[in-house]
Amino acid sequence: MSDLPGIVVTGASGRMGQMLIRTVVASDKMQLVGAIERDGHDWLGRDVGEAMGLGALGVEVENDPLESFARAHAVIDFTSPEATLNFAKYAAQARVVHVIGTTGMDDEQIAALEPASRHAVIVRAGNMSLGVNLLTQLTRKVAEALDDDYDIEVIEAHHNQKVDAPSGTALMLGQAAAEGRGVSLKDVADRGRDGITGKRERGHIGFSAIRGGDIVGEHDVLFAATGERIVLRHIATDRTVFARGALKAALWGLDKKPGQYDMIDVLGL
C-alpha cells in the first residue's frame, strides 16, 4: 500500500459504486482500500476489480464496515438512507471523512446524522457536481431578485431505475429558491399534482419528475411570469462528474474539524 489517502466505497456493485471505484483507481491522489456490500450479496469475498471485469485490484468486497473503515481516511457513500445512517455511526467511530451522496433522506434522517458529525467530518450533498452547485447558487440569486409574479417550477429527469422522487438535486434547488424568497420550502412545495387541483398557488414552488431510459440527470429551474420565462438548466451526461466531485469532497475533508459540510463549502462558493 502507498501513502496515498485510503478510500472505502459503499454499495460497490451499484451504478455509482462502480463509477466511484473506477475513478479512485484511475486517480493518482488516493487509493482504494475497501469495498462494501450488503449481507448476502454475491460479490462478497470476491476481488472487487474482478467482479467489475477490471481485473484484480487486491481489494476484497466485505460486509463489515467497521473493519474496512478502520484502515481508511474517507468513505464515499451513495446508498440508501437507512444504510447511510448505519455507515455514519461506523465512520464516526473510525474518525474518517464520510462523503454522502445518498438521496431520498427525509428531515428526520438528516437530523439523525448530527451525533456522528460531532466526531467525524460529514460532507453531504444532493449532488456532487460543480455545475449543479453553481446552478444552486444562481437559483438562490434569481429567486431573491424576482417577486411572486414569477412562478417557480423545478423539473428533473433521471433513468428508470431511480427509486426516489423528486431527486435530491431537485430538492436542493427548491431549497435554494425558497431561501432566495425568504420562505420555508416545506410550506410552499407542490410535489405532486393529479386531478382537479385548482389554480396554482401564488408563491409556491412546484416539482415535476421524469423517469425513463438511461438519463443520467437533467434539472431545470423555471421562473415563469406573464410574457417571459427564465430557465436555468444543468444536464449531466456522464456519472463521472458526480464521482469526481465526491472524491474532491473526500480529499477536502481530510484536514477539517468534525461537523457537517456541503459541496458549497468544498468548492468555496
Side-chain angles (χ1 to χ4, degrees):
M1 290 300 221
S2 71
D3 293 329
L4 295 175
I7 306 294
V8 172
V9 174
T10 64
S13 71
R15 289 170 182 254
M16 273 307 302
Q18 293 192 49
M19 181 58 70
L20 286 162
I21 288 169
R22 292 175 187 274
T23 307
V24 172
V25 170
S27 172
D28 60 359
K29 297 179 179 179
M30 59 194 67
Q31 61 179 325
L32 184 71
V33 298
I36 300 292
E37 259 304 341
R38 64 185 182 278
D39 291 343
H41 196 281
D42 59 10
W43 280 22
L44 290 177
R46 297 177 62 189
D47 183 287
V48 69
E50 292 181 344
M52 292 173 56
L54 299 178
L57 295 176
V59 175
E60 185 178 293
V61 181
E62 305 168 82
N63 61 354
D64 183 352
L66 185 57
E67 182 178 334
S68 184
F69 293 5
R71 59 176 179 269
H73 296 85
V75 176
I76 304 180
D77 176 18
F78 285 68
T79 54
S80 68
E82 296 77 13
T84 289
L85 290 177
N86 187 48
F87 290 138
K89 297 175 183 177
Y90 290 113
Q93 289 182 52
R95 303 296 196 270
V96 297
V97 178
H98 188 188
V99 178
I100 300 174
T102 300
T103 61
M105 299 184 75
D106 60 29
D107 290 344
E108 184 177 346
Q109 289 167 328
I110 292 171
L113 293 171
E114 175 60 28
S117 71
R118 297 173 194 155
H119 305 285
V121 170
I122 293 178
V123 181
R124 187 185 66 83
N127 193 298
M128 296 284 175
S129 85
L130 172 60
V132 162
N133 283 278
L134 288 171
L135 178 62
T136 301
Q137 296 293 76
L138 288 171
T139 297
R140 184 180 292 107
K141 290 290 187 183
V142 174
E144 184 178 1
L146 301 176
D147 61 21
D148 286 354
D149 287 340
Y150 288 80
D151 299 323
I152 302 176
E153 294 282 323
V154 181
I155 305 102
E156 55 101 342
H158 284 87
H159 55 86
N160 58 21
Q161 301 300 303
K162 187 168 179 59
V163 299
D164 60 305
S167 69
T169 303
L171 292 172
M172 185 169 73
L173 293 168
Q175 180 63 38
E179 290 172 0
R181 285 271 171 92
V183 297
S184 169
L185 180 60
K186 67 180 181 180
D187 294 335
V188 299
D190 286 335
R191 292 179 56 166
R193 300 185 180 114
D194 186 34
I196 307 300
T197 61
K199 68 177 184 179
R200 193 185 196 284
E201 291 286 342
R202 183 179 176 89
H204 276 206
I205 298 173
F207 292 86
S208 300
I210 298 166
R211 297 289 178 267
D214 61 354
I215 301 170
V216 173
E218 300 179 5
H219 295 86
D220 288 356
V221 184
L222 169 67
F223 297 84
T226 301
E228 68 175 351
R229 295 189 297 275
I230 301 167
V231 182
L232 305 178
R233 169 173 289 183
H234 179 270
I235 297 175
T237 58
D238 190 327
R239 285 183 179 79
T240 56
V241 298
F242 312 129
R244 289 197 301 268
L247 268 57
K248 182 179 181 71
L251 293 175
W252 178 88
L254 293 178
D255 62 353
K256 301 301 182 293
K257 295 180 180 179
Q260 294 196 55
Y261 304 88
D262 58 24
M263 285 302 289
I264 301 299
D265 298 312
V266 174
L267 300 170
L269 298 175

